[in-house]
PDB file of all heavy atoms in Angstrom:
ATOM      1  N   VAL D  90      39.701  14.050 116.857  1.00  0.00           N
ATOM      2  CA  VAL D  90      38.496  13.868 117.574  1.00  0.00           C
ATOM      3  C   VAL D  90      37.328  14.353 116.727  1.00  0.00           C
ATOM      4  O   VAL D  90      37.432  15.432 116.155  1.00  0.00           O
ATOM      5  CB  VAL D  90      38.504  14.585 118.822  1.00  0.00           C
ATOM      6  CG1 VAL D  90      37.144  14.404 119.619  1.00  0.00           C
ATOM      7  CG2 VAL D  90      39.664  14.092 119.746  1.00  0.00           C
ATOM      8  N   ARG D  91      36.291  13.511 116.679  1.00  0.00           N
ATOM      9  CA  ARG D  91      35.061  13.907 115.912  1.00  0.00           C
ATOM     10  C   ARG D  91      34.073  14.345 116.992  1.00  0.00           C
ATOM     11  O   ARG D  91      33.798  13.703 117.968  1.00  0.00           O
ATOM     12  CB  ARG D  91      34.536  12.722 115.223  1.00  0.00           C
ATOM     13  CG  ARG D  91      33.286  13.056 114.363  1.00  0.00           C
ATOM     14  CD  ARG D  91      33.016  11.862 113.430  1.00  0.00           C
ATOM     15  NE  ARG D  91      31.814  12.007 112.663  1.00  0.00           N
ATOM     16  CZ  ARG D  91      30.704  11.367 112.939  1.00  0.00           C
ATOM     17  NH1 ARG D  91      30.630  10.433 113.732  1.00  0.00           N
ATOM     18  NH2 ARG D  91      29.565  11.621 112.232  1.00  0.00           N
ATOM     19  N   LEU D  92      33.446  15.584 116.744  1.00  0.00           N
ATOM     20  CA  LEU D  92      32.413  16.054 117.621  1.00  0.00           C
ATOM     21  C   LEU D  92      31.133  16.227 116.892  1.00  0.00           C
ATOM     22  O   LEU D  92      31.115  16.675 115.697  1.00  0.00           O
ATOM     23  CB  LEU D  92      32.943  17.521 118.005  1.00  0.00           C
ATOM     24  CG  LEU D  92      34.225  17.600 118.775  1.00  0.00           C
ATOM     25  CD1 LEU D  92      34.792  19.059 118.811  1.00  0.00           C
ATOM     26  CD2 LEU D  92      34.168  17.058 120.148  1.00  0.00           C
ATOM     27  N   VAL D  93      30.080  15.714 117.556  1.00  0.00           N
ATOM     28  CA  VAL D  93      28.815  15.656 116.919  1.00  0.00           C
ATOM     29  C   VAL D  93      27.792  16.348 117.885  1.00  0.00           C
ATOM     30  O   VAL D  93      27.499  15.939 119.010  1.00  0.00           O
ATOM     31  CB  VAL D  93      28.336  14.207 116.672  1.00  0.00           C
ATOM     32  CG1 VAL D  93      26.963  14.130 116.056  1.00  0.00           C
ATOM     33  CG2 VAL D  93      29.293  13.360 115.790  1.00  0.00           C
ATOM     34  N   GLU D  94      27.149  17.421 117.275  1.00  0.00           N
ATOM     35  CA  GLU D  94      26.273  18.298 117.940  1.00  0.00           C
ATOM     36  C   GLU D  94      24.804  17.811 117.639  1.00  0.00           C
ATOM     37  O   GLU D  94      24.519  17.386 116.569  1.00  0.00           O
ATOM     38  CB  GLU D  94      26.374  19.712 117.649  1.00  0.00           C
ATOM     39  CG  GLU D  94      27.760  20.294 117.922  1.00  0.00           C
ATOM     40  CD  GLU D  94      28.721  20.151 116.728  1.00  0.00           C
ATOM     41  OE1 GLU D  94      28.320  19.489 115.710  1.00  0.00           O
ATOM     42  OE2 GLU D  94      29.733  20.855 116.699  1.00  0.00           O
ATOM     43  N   SER D  95      23.915  17.894 118.584  1.00  0.00           N
ATOM     44  CA  SER D  95      22.512  17.609 118.428  1.00  0.00           C
ATOM     45  C   SER D  95      21.623  18.346 119.346  1.00  0.00           C
ATOM     46  O   SER D  95      22.146  19.038 120.253  1.00  0.00           O
ATOM     47  CB  SER D  95      22.232  16.077 118.679  1.00  0.00           C
ATOM     48  OG  SER D  95      22.571  15.761 119.959  1.00  0.00           O
ATOM     49  N   GLY D  96      20.407  18.394 119.082  1.00  0.00           N
ATOM     50  CA  GLY D  96      19.371  18.961 120.034  1.00  0.00           C
ATOM     51  C   GLY D  96      18.832  20.275 119.488  1.00  0.00           C
ATOM     52  O   GLY D  96      17.904  20.825 120.220  1.00  0.00           O
ATOM     53  N   GLY D  97      19.197  20.870 118.398  1.00  0.00           N
ATOM     54  CA  GLY D  97      18.633  22.018 117.901  1.00  0.00           C
ATOM     55  C   GLY D  97      17.200  21.903 117.442  1.00  0.00           C
ATOM     56  O   GLY D  97      16.648  20.825 117.356  1.00  0.00           O
ATOM     57  N   GLY D  98      16.615  23.085 117.140  1.00  0.00           N
ATOM     58  CA  GLY D  98      15.194  23.002 116.555  1.00  0.00           C
ATOM     59  C   GLY D  98      14.578  24.381 116.516  1.00  0.00           C
ATOM     60  O   GLY D  98      15.420  25.426 116.676  1.00  0.00           O
ATOM     61  N   LEU D  99      13.340  24.443 116.214  1.00  0.00           N
ATOM     62  CA  LEU D  99      12.610  25.633 116.196  1.00  0.00           C
ATOM     63  C   LEU D  99      11.975  25.885 117.532  1.00  0.00           C
ATOM     64  O   LEU D  99      11.261  24.905 117.926  1.00  0.00           O
ATOM     65  CB  LEU D  99      11.599  25.633 114.990  1.00  0.00           C
ATOM     66  CG  LEU D  99      10.637  26.771 114.840  1.00  0.00           C
ATOM     67  CD1 LEU D  99      11.422  28.019 114.471  1.00  0.00           C
ATOM     68  CD2 LEU D  99       9.568  26.474 113.754  1.00  0.00           C
ATOM     69  N   VAL D 100      12.106  27.033 118.042  1.00  0.00           N
ATOM     70  CA  VAL D 100      11.514  27.206 119.433  1.00  0.00           C
ATOM     71  C   VAL D 100      10.929  28.606 119.436  1.00  0.00           C
ATOM     72  O   VAL D 100      11.502  29.588 118.903  1.00  0.00           O
ATOM     73  CB  VAL D 100      12.468  26.927 120.489  1.00  0.00           C
ATOM     74  CG1 VAL D 100      13.684  27.831 120.416  1.00  0.00           C
ATOM     75  CG2 VAL D 100      11.846  27.053 121.899  1.00  0.00           C
ATOM     76  N   GLN D 101       9.820  28.787 120.105  1.00  0.00           N
ATOM     77  CA  GLN D 101       9.224  30.169 120.280  1.00  0.00           C
ATOM     78  C   GLN D 101      10.044  30.920 121.246  1.00  0.00           C
ATOM     79  O   GLN D 101      10.744  30.384 122.187  1.00  0.00           O
ATOM     80  CB  GLN D 101       7.830  30.010 120.796  1.00  0.00           C
ATOM     81  CG  GLN D 101       6.818  29.589 119.715  1.00  0.00           C
ATOM     82  CD  GLN D 101       5.437  29.693 120.096  1.00  0.00           C
ATOM     83  OE1 GLN D 101       5.063  29.558 121.249  1.00  0.00           O
ATOM     84  NE2 GLN D 101       4.579  29.863 119.183  1.00  0.00           N
ATOM     85  N   ALA D 102       9.958  32.305 121.059  1.00  0.00           N
ATOM     86  CA  ALA D 102      10.632  33.104 122.101  1.00  0.00           C
ATOM     87  C   ALA D 102      10.223  32.769 123.506  1.00  0.00           C
ATOM     88  O   ALA D 102       9.037  32.526 123.730  1.00  0.00           O
ATOM     89  CB  ALA D 102      10.313  34.585 121.707  1.00  0.00           C
ATOM     90  N   GLY D 103      11.224  32.812 124.405  1.00  0.00           N
ATOM     91  CA  GLY D 103      10.965  32.312 125.729  1.00  0.00           C
ATOM     92  C   GLY D 103      11.152  30.775 126.052  1.00  0.00           C
ATOM     93  O   GLY D 103      11.066  30.419 127.188  1.00  0.00           O
ATOM     94  N   GLY D 104      11.203  30.090 124.981  1.00  0.00           N
ATOM     95  CA  GLY D 104      11.294  28.672 125.145  1.00  0.00           C
ATOM     96  C   GLY D 104      12.702  28.164 125.621  1.00  0.00           C
ATOM     97  O   GLY D 104      13.673  28.913 125.673  1.00  0.00           O
ATOM     98  N   SER D 105      12.807  26.843 125.588  1.00  0.00           N
ATOM     99  CA  SER D 105      14.103  26.201 125.963  1.00  0.00           C
ATOM    100  C   SER D 105      14.576  25.130 125.041  1.00  0.00           C
ATOM    101  O   SER D 105      13.671  24.482 124.395  1.00  0.00           O
ATOM    102  CB  SER D 105      13.990  25.662 127.396  1.00  0.00           C
ATOM    103  OG  SER D 105      13.723  26.620 128.414  1.00  0.00           O
ATOM    104  N   LEU D 106      15.834  24.942 125.007  1.00  0.00           N
ATOM    105  CA  LEU D 106      16.393  23.791 124.170  1.00  0.00           C
ATOM    106  C   LEU D 106      17.604  23.242 125.025  1.00  0.00           C
ATOM    107  O   LEU D 106      18.292  24.150 125.733  1.00  0.00           O
ATOM    108  CB  LEU D 106      16.867  24.172 122.776  1.00  0.00           C
ATOM    109  CG  LEU D 106      15.749  24.289 121.756  1.00  0.00           C
ATOM    110  CD1 LEU D 106      16.453  24.892 120.492  1.00  0.00           C
ATOM    111  CD2 LEU D 106      15.075  22.977 121.429  1.00  0.00           C
ATOM    112  N   ARG D 107      17.901  21.954 124.794  1.00  0.00           N
ATOM    113  CA  ARG D 107      19.192  21.491 125.387  1.00  0.00           C
ATOM    114  C   ARG D 107      19.974  20.848 124.286  1.00  0.00           C
ATOM    115  O   ARG D 107      19.491  19.921 123.635  1.00  0.00           O
ATOM    116  CB  ARG D 107      18.942  20.407 126.514  1.00  0.00           C
ATOM    117  CG  ARG D 107      20.187  19.986 127.199  1.00  0.00           C
ATOM    118  CD  ARG D 107      19.909  18.830 128.068  1.00  0.00           C
ATOM    119  NE  ARG D 107      20.883  18.578 129.023  1.00  0.00           N
ATOM    120  CZ  ARG D 107      21.273  17.350 129.402  1.00  0.00           C
ATOM    121  NH1 ARG D 107      20.615  16.125 129.073  1.00  0.00           N
ATOM    122  NH2 ARG D 107      22.258  17.125 130.376  1.00  0.00           N
ATOM    123  N   LEU D 108      21.215  21.445 124.025  1.00  0.00           N
ATOM    124  CA  LEU D 108      22.057  20.985 123.034  1.00  0.00           C
ATOM    125  C   LEU D 108      23.035  19.929 123.658  1.00  0.00           C
ATOM    126  O   LEU D 108      23.476  20.116 124.872  1.00  0.00           O
ATOM    127  CB  LEU D 108      22.832  22.183 122.407  1.00  0.00           C
ATOM    128  CG  LEU D 108      22.057  23.236 121.812  1.00  0.00           C
ATOM    129  CD1 LEU D 108      22.943  24.353 121.121  1.00  0.00           C
ATOM    130  CD2 LEU D 108      20.963  22.816 120.919  1.00  0.00           C
ATOM    131  N   SER D 109      23.428  18.989 122.852  1.00  0.00           N
ATOM    132  CA  SER D 109      24.360  18.038 123.324  1.00  0.00           C
ATOM    133  C   SER D 109      25.589  17.840 122.386  1.00  0.00           C
ATOM    134  O   SER D 109      25.335  18.087 121.107  1.00  0.00           O
ATOM    135  CB  SER D 109      23.727  16.527 123.460  1.00  0.00           C
ATOM    136  OG  SER D 109      22.695  16.588 124.417  1.00  0.00           O
ATOM    137  N   CYS D 110      26.644  17.605 122.890  1.00  0.00           N
ATOM    138  CA  CYS D 110      27.848  17.328 121.986  1.00  0.00           C
ATOM    139  C   CYS D 110      28.574  16.070 122.476  1.00  0.00           C
ATOM    140  O   CYS D 110      28.875  15.982 123.599  1.00  0.00           O
ATOM    141  CB  CYS D 110      28.773  18.545 122.133  1.00  0.00           C
ATOM    142  SG  CYS D 110      30.391  18.353 121.394  1.00  0.00           S
ATOM    143  N   ALA D 111      28.660  15.178 121.499  1.00  0.00           N
ATOM    144  CA  ALA D 111      29.384  13.916 121.737  1.00  0.00           C
ATOM    145  C   ALA D 111      30.790  13.803 121.140  1.00  0.00           C
ATOM    146  O   ALA D 111      30.865  14.224 120.005  1.00  0.00           O
ATOM    147  CB  ALA D 111      28.453  12.733 121.314  1.00  0.00           C
ATOM    148  N   ALA D 112      31.711  13.391 121.803  1.00  0.00           N
ATOM    149  CA  ALA D 112      33.111  13.270 121.305  1.00  0.00           C
ATOM    150  C   ALA D 112      33.268  11.808 120.946  1.00  0.00           C
ATOM    151  O   ALA D 112      32.817  10.849 121.651  1.00  0.00           O
ATOM    152  CB  ALA D 112      34.112  13.762 122.243  1.00  0.00           C
ATOM    153  N   SER D 113      34.206  11.646 119.903  1.00  0.00           N
ATOM    154  CA  SER D 113      34.426  10.190 119.488  1.00  0.00           C
ATOM    155  C   SER D 113      35.440   9.453 120.425  1.00  0.00           C
ATOM    156  O   SER D 113      35.440   8.233 120.363  1.00  0.00           O
ATOM    157  CB  SER D 113      35.013  10.295 118.058  1.00  0.00           C
ATOM    158  OG  SER D 113      36.206  10.995 118.137  1.00  0.00           O
ATOM    159  N   ARG D 114      36.078  10.150 121.307  1.00  0.00           N
ATOM    160  CA  ARG D 114      36.986   9.541 122.201  1.00  0.00           C
ATOM    161  C   ARG D 114      37.130  10.416 123.379  1.00  0.00           C
ATOM    162  O   ARG D 114      36.766  11.570 123.499  1.00  0.00           O
ATOM    163  CB  ARG D 114      38.343   9.138 121.582  1.00  0.00           C
ATOM    164  CG  ARG D 114      39.120  10.372 121.056  1.00  0.00           C
ATOM    165  CD  ARG D 114      40.396   9.782 120.500  1.00  0.00           C
ATOM    166  NE  ARG D 114      41.282  10.869 119.877  1.00  0.00           N
ATOM    167  CZ  ARG D 114      42.090  11.659 120.544  1.00  0.00           C
ATOM    168  NH1 ARG D 114      42.333  11.430 121.811  1.00  0.00           N
ATOM    169  NH2 ARG D 114      42.850  12.614 119.865  1.00  0.00           N
ATOM    170  N   SER D 115      37.768   9.913 124.408  1.00  0.00           N
ATOM    171  CA  SER D 115      37.892  10.610 125.737  1.00  0.00           C
ATOM    172  C   SER D 115      38.940  11.693 125.501  1.00  0.00           C
ATOM    173  O   SER D 115      40.119  11.424 125.256  1.00  0.00           O
ATOM    174  CB  SER D 115      38.346   9.647 126.849  1.00  0.00           C
ATOM    175  OG  SER D 115      38.593  10.448 127.976  1.00  0.00           O
ATOM    176  N   ILE D 116      38.481  12.986 125.625  1.00  0.00           N
ATOM    177  CA  ILE D 116      39.310  14.087 125.472  1.00  0.00           C
ATOM    178  C   ILE D 116      38.959  15.181 126.459  1.00  0.00           C
ATOM    179  O   ILE D 116      39.710  16.093 126.625  1.00  0.00           O
ATOM    180  CB  ILE D 116      39.284  14.666 124.053  1.00  0.00           C
ATOM    181  CG1 ILE D 116      37.820  14.920 123.530  1.00  0.00           C
ATOM    182  CG2 ILE D 116      40.197  13.867 123.092  1.00  0.00           C
ATOM    183  CD1 ILE D 116      37.231  16.003 123.939  1.00  0.00           C
ATOM    184  N   PHE D 117      37.846  15.048 127.050  1.00  0.00           N
ATOM    185  CA  PHE D 117      37.258  16.139 127.715  1.00  0.00           C
ATOM    186  C   PHE D 117      37.981  16.437 129.148  1.00  0.00           C
ATOM    187  O   PHE D 117      38.139  17.491 129.571  1.00  0.00           O
ATOM    188  CB  PHE D 117      35.796  15.960 128.164  1.00  0.00           C
ATOM    189  CG  PHE D 117      34.891  16.074 126.913  1.00  0.00           C
ATOM    190  CD1 PHE D 117      33.654  15.498 126.900  1.00  0.00           C
ATOM    191  CD2 PHE D 117      35.328  16.741 125.845  1.00  0.00           C
ATOM    192  CE1 PHE D 117      32.900  15.552 125.833  1.00  0.00           C
ATOM    193  CE2 PHE D 117      34.533  16.860 124.603  1.00  0.00           C
ATOM    194  CZ  PHE D 117      33.252  16.348 124.697  1.00  0.00           C
ATOM    195  N   SER D 118      38.595  15.378 129.648  1.00  0.00           N
ATOM    196  CA  SER D 118      39.032  15.494 131.003  1.00  0.00           C
ATOM    197  C   SER D 118      40.183  16.543 131.168  1.00  0.00           C
ATOM    198  O   SER D 118      40.458  17.041 132.274  1.00  0.00           O
ATOM    199  CB  SER D 118      39.525  14.120 131.533  1.00  0.00           C
ATOM    200  OG  SER D 118      40.530  13.598 130.829  1.00  0.00           O
ATOM    201  N   VAL D 119      40.931  16.788 130.054  1.00  0.00           N
ATOM    202  CA  VAL D 119      42.028  17.721 130.237  1.00  0.00           C
ATOM    203  C   VAL D 119      41.872  18.944 129.306  1.00  0.00           C
ATOM    204  O   VAL D 119      42.808  19.651 129.102  1.00  0.00           O
ATOM    205  CB  VAL D 119      43.356  17.010 129.791  1.00  0.00           C
ATOM    206  CG1 VAL D 119      43.698  15.932 130.807  1.00  0.00           C
ATOM    207  CG2 VAL D 119      43.241  16.470 128.359  1.00  0.00           C
ATOM    208  N   ASN D 120      40.690  19.213 128.758  1.00  0.00           N
ATOM    209  CA  ASN D 120      40.488  20.263 127.788  1.00  0.00           C
ATOM    210  C   ASN D 120      39.388  21.193 128.175  1.00  0.00           C
ATOM    211  O   ASN D 120      38.294  20.795 128.727  1.00  0.00           O
ATOM    212  CB  ASN D 120      40.219  19.668 126.341  1.00  0.00           C
ATOM    213  CG  ASN D 120      41.348  19.230 125.730  1.00  0.00           C
ATOM    214  OD1 ASN D 120      42.234  19.821 125.144  1.00  0.00           O
ATOM    215  ND2 ASN D 120      41.504  17.835 125.753  1.00  0.00           N
ATOM    216  N   VAL D 121      39.549  22.463 127.943  1.00  0.00           N
ATOM    217  CA  VAL D 121      38.484  23.397 128.068  1.00  0.00           C
ATOM    218  C   VAL D 121      37.542  23.144 126.784  1.00  0.00           C
ATOM    219  O   VAL D 121      38.082  23.080 125.660  1.00  0.00           O
ATOM    220  CB  VAL D 121      39.044  24.921 128.041  1.00  0.00           C
ATOM    221  CG1 VAL D 121      37.841  25.811 128.197  1.00  0.00           C
ATOM    222  CG2 VAL D 121      39.881  25.073 129.278  1.00  0.00           C
ATOM    223  N   MET D 122      36.333  23.067 127.020  1.00  0.00           N
ATOM    224  CA  MET D 122      35.360  22.918 125.947  1.00  0.00           C
ATOM    225  C   MET D 122      34.389  24.152 125.839  1.00  0.00           C
ATOM    226  O   MET D 122      34.076  24.673 126.841  1.00  0.00           O
ATOM    227  CB  MET D 122      34.535  21.682 126.115  1.00  0.00           C
ATOM    228  CG  MET D 122      35.384  20.386 126.119  1.00  0.00           C
ATOM    229  SD  MET D 122      36.287  20.153 124.577  1.00  0.00           S
ATOM    230  CE  MET D 122      34.882  19.992 123.418  1.00  0.00           C
TER     231      MET D 122
END
């Protein structure tokens, strides 16, 4: 399975970010991530 992370960046203290992780095929339904 290929995992691709995105959403990082430079943020000031107190700020927010949302990271995403996409999998190349269906594997989530039975795995702890």
